[in-house]
Amino acid sequence: MALMTGEQYIESIRKMNMEVYMFGKRIESPVDDPILRPSLNSVRMTYDLAQMPEYQDLMTTISPYTHERINRFTHIHQSAEDLVKKVKMQRLLGQKTASCFQRCVGMDAFNAVFSTTYETDRKYGTHYHDNFRAFMEYVQKNDLTVDGAMTDPKGDRSKAPHAQDDPDMFLHIVERRSDGIVVRGAKAHQTGVLNSHEVIVMPTQAMRAEDADYAVSFAVPMDTPGVSMIIGRQSCDTRKRENTTMDVGNSEFGGVEALTIFHDVFVPNERVFLSGEYDFAGMMVERFAGYHRQSYGGCKVGVGDVLIGAAAVAADYNGAAKASHVKDKLIEMIHLNETLYSCGIACSSEGHRTESGNYIIDLLLANVCKQNVTRFPYEIVRLAEDIAGGLVVTAPSEADFRDPKLGPIIDKYLRGSSSVSTENRLRILRLIENLALGTAAVGYRTESMHGAGSPQAQRIMISRQGNLEQKKALAKAIAHIQE
Ligand code: SF4
Ligand code: FE
């Protein structure tokens, strides 16, 4: 079974006995929880679209390892063309879900761990690449969703991992056994972790010799004893518990984060991809971050397409579509969104082969891509709110709209263009609210800022990769300067 249907995916997650907490209680059936279910539906879309002939080329490919058709989310990129298709696939999914569809972190971890384990083995004679290859083939054959967990809580930012007052502020090895390792720590902000069959854990930053126990990478199933999740709150999250589709804005899809705890979790040797080779922690981080910064040039663009569409519909419904400033604002939103896409495509087509044989993006361009993503969605949201008007945040609830006494009043006074129902007008405004301020704002705004690394992390990479010396030499040559 190299491709699961969406329904099979849901049932496979249902069978897992994950330890999930929310609002102070253990959630017995996360799959059926109204707050958590939209997030699962977003991942499901990665399975559903893979079944559709029109998307087969984008969503699937033939694995060079299993020789079967696999979902592209489990693929090891074999060419720059694969990298481009990845970004196009992510834009498509952003358009279909208007949220974070979560499965990319595993794909990005896959490709970073694939090449890093190869180079670690070459230096140290370890067998991490074989371990990873076996895991990768298992995931491809079973079409699993894998989370990629990188971000540690980090405690006091001025202190190295081993120097923290609490040694668990970075995930680390607490015991080395003949049959494996035992790890302790946590990973923060894990979007989609509760919708994943497996998690690949990676170090959060480059490590030094004193932090060797923190240079650890491995994979475990999400229902492994000792692994638990505490769900993060999102703005307007409990609207999903109310009996309303209107007020939620995007009632079907979403993304959910969790603080994920690894309390003395045993990892068998064959699932270990790095364990103490601290000089390769930085490479794994840089490559994962690079791939995920490329990803944002696809997923956020797709969500941006929905937001731009929503703003244009709101303008139509308000009777403002012909105003020249509204038209110009929509043009600006498209310009910004397509600039992000251009960056995603550019870092992909400039990709190159690694020593292990898979393809990696151009790191400078991927970091420029993500740096723009920390800014442009904010401007796109600002323009959407401008076009939509204040009703985005002042409209009454669906319960009032359905009330026999209040409904007709709302219907009368909140109508825009007379050819459009008040209900439709409110629905599109609620979608804008959801993307700008509600549950989806986590994915479209704050995740654009901090996901795949905060802005300063990209600036450090840009300064490293920017080759200022070469630019100085160019200027001196043109100016006929001889020193
Ligand atoms: Fe994929 Fe974007 Fe979500 Fe990252 S933020 S997992 S790239 S959809
Ligand atoms: Fe993300």
Side-chain angles (χ1 to χ4, degrees):
M1 180 183 57
L3 286 178
M4 267 200 266
T5 64
E7 201 48 47
Q8 287 168 334
Y9 160 68
I10 301 274
E11 291 315 306
S12 68
I13 293 290
R14 187 192 297 281
K15 281 196 203 112
M16 296 186 72
N17 183 26
M18 295 190 210
E19 197 178 336
V20 181
Y21 298 91
M22 185 169 60
F23 299 125
K25 289 197 189 92
R26 177 152 183 188
I27 306 297
E28 292 307 330
S29 181
V31 168
D32 301 308
D33 186 277
I35 290 182
L36 304 178
R37 180 57 184 246
S39 170
L40 187 71
N41 290 342
S42 295
V43 184
R44 177 193 173 138
M45 198 53 109
T46 71
Y47 290 88
D48 284 340
L49 294 182
Q51 300 281 334
M52 298 164 77
E54 63 266 46
Y55 300 126
Q56 190 189 64
D57 182 52
L58 268 196
M59 295 297 307
T60 71
T61 187
I62 303 294
S63 165
Y65 310 101
T66 66
H67 309 290
E68 286 183 314
R69 186 165 291 283
I70 55 162
N71 193 299
R72 189 175 293 282
F73 280 98
T74 67
H75 186 42
I76 300 292
H77 312 301
Q78 301 295 308
S79 62
E81 192 195 347
D82 269 352
L83 292 168
V84 170
K85 280 188 180 166
K86 171 194 157 182
V87 170
K88 292 186 176 181
M89 167 178 78
Q90 289 167 312
R91 185 172 188 169
L92 172 72
L93 272 146
Q95 292 170 341
K96 297 287 188 189
T97 62
S99 67
C100 169
F101 38 89
Q102 308 147 47
R103 208 174 168 188
C104 330
V105 265
M107 165 175 53
D108 293 340
F110 251 48
N111 280 276
V113 174
F114 184 87
S115 62
T116 305
T117 49
Y118 183 89
E119 292 179 42
T120 313
D121 286 357
R122 247 197 19 186
K123 177 165 177 191
Y124 287 107
T126 41
H127 296 284
Y128 300 136
H129 192 66
D130 290 341
N131 290 352
F132 180 73
R133 283 273 295 254
F135 172 66
M136 177 257 294
E137 287 185 26
Y138 164 72
V139 168
Q140 290 189 342
K141 281 185 186 140
N142 294 284
D143 199 12
L144 302 180
T145 289
V146 180
D147 181 55
M150 178 160 279
T151 309
D152 287 303
K154 296 198 283 282
D156 182 339
R157 270 54 174 178
S158 70
K159 292 179 176 166
H162 74 279
Q164 296 282 330
D165 294 341
D166 182 338
D168 303 336
M169 297 314 282
F170 289 74
L171 189 141
H172 60 128
I173 301 169
V174 290
E175 191 187 341
R176 291 175 193 273
R177 293 170 26 179
S178 60
D179 53 347
I181 55 174
V182 178
V183 298
R184 189 186 304 155
K187 294 288 181 181
H189 325 300
Q190 292 303 300
T191 316
V193 66
L194 80 160
N195 302 324
S196 302
H197 304 95
E198 298 270 345
V199 57
I200 295 181
V201 168
M202 295 163 285
T204 202
Q205 62 185 43
M207 299 285 173
R208 299 212 176 114
E210 316 84 87
D211 294 318
D213 284 343
Y214 295 84
V216 59
S217 176
F218 59 87
V220 287
M222 276 312 298
D223 54 2
T224 302
V227 178
S228 62
M229 290 156 272
I230 307 171
I231 301 297
R233 284 223 72 167
Q234 297 179 339
S235 170
C236 312
D237 49 8
T238 47
R239 285 191 198 181
K240 290 178 177 161
R241 280 189 171 166
E242 298 167 16
N243 188 24
T244 171
T245 60
M246 258 171 95
D247 293 356
V248 175
N250 180 357
S251 56
E252 205 176 332
F253 302 107
V256 158
E257 284 71 30
L259 175 65
T260 307
I261 297 107
F262 297 79
H263 187 76
D264 295 353
V265 173
F266 173 70
V267 184
N269 282 330
E270 62 271 19
R271 285 295 194 93
V272 175
F273 311 138
L274 189 75
S275 114
E277 297 76 7
Y278 62 89
D279 48 333
F280 282 91
M283 178 188 287
M284 199 179 275
V285 173
E286 198 169 275
R287 290 183 180 178
F288 170 75
Y291 282 120
H292 211 52
R293 289 169 194 172
Q294 167 210 24
S295 289
Y296 277 45
C299 77
K300 300 302 176 217
V301 180
V303 180
D305 287 327
V306 177
L307 181 56
I308 295 167
V313 172
D316 288 344
Y317 289 0
N318 289 347
K322 290 206 171 73
S324 62
H325 74 97
V326 170
K327 283 189 200 159
D328 194 55
K329 280 164 190 158
L330 290 167
I331 291 167
E332 178 67 8
M333 292 164 86
I334 294 169
H335 161 70
L336 292 169
N337 205 39
E338 298 300 334
T339 304
L340 299 179
Y341 185 55
S342 306
C343 293
I345 294 296
C347 69
S348 306
S349 20
E350 290 287 291
H352 63 272
R353 200 172 180 274
T354 69
E355 285 177 29
S356 66
N358 73 342
Y359 269 66
I360 189 163
I361 59 289
D362 180 283
L363 281 175
L364 174 61
L365 296 184
N367 278 278
V368 168
C369 176
K370 176 68 216 313
Q371 181 79 182
N372 283 333
V373 173
T374 66
R375 300 172 184 180
F376 296 178
Y378 284 80
E379 181 63 7
I380 294 171
V381 161
R382 190 183 73 80
L383 291 167
E385 287 185 19
D386 182 348
I387 292 171
L391 198 54
V392 164
V393 289
T394 62
S397 68
E398 179 171 4
D400 290 322
F401 187 66
R402 303 288 174 217
D403 181 80
K405 180 175 158 207
L406 306 175
I409 300 171
I410 295 169
D411 191 51
K412 171 183 164 77
Y413 285 109
L414 295 188
R415 188 169 289 258
S417 163
S418 55
S419 61
V420 175
S421 72
T422 304
E423 173 166 342
N424 284 349
R425 183 170 183 232
L426 293 177
R427 280 187 181 279
I428 207 69
L429 295 180
R430 285 294 184 206
L431 174 59
I432 294 172
E433 181 199 28
N434 175 256
L435 286 161
L437 308 159
T439 52
V442 182
Y444 188 61
R445 280 173 34 141
T446 312
E447 192 176 49
S448 288
M449 179 69 82
H450 294 294
S454 306
Q456 190 58 22
Q458 290 112 54
R459 298 186 82 76
I460 291 167
M461 284 300 293
I462 291 169
S463 83
R464 257 194 240 153
Q465 304 265 333
N467 207 349
L468 206 52
E469 289 309 314
Q470 182 231 7
K471 291 175 175 51
K472 286 202 258 182
L474 291 173
K476 285 178 188 171
I478 295 286
H480 296 284
I481 290 174
Q482 287 182 348
E483 291 173 339

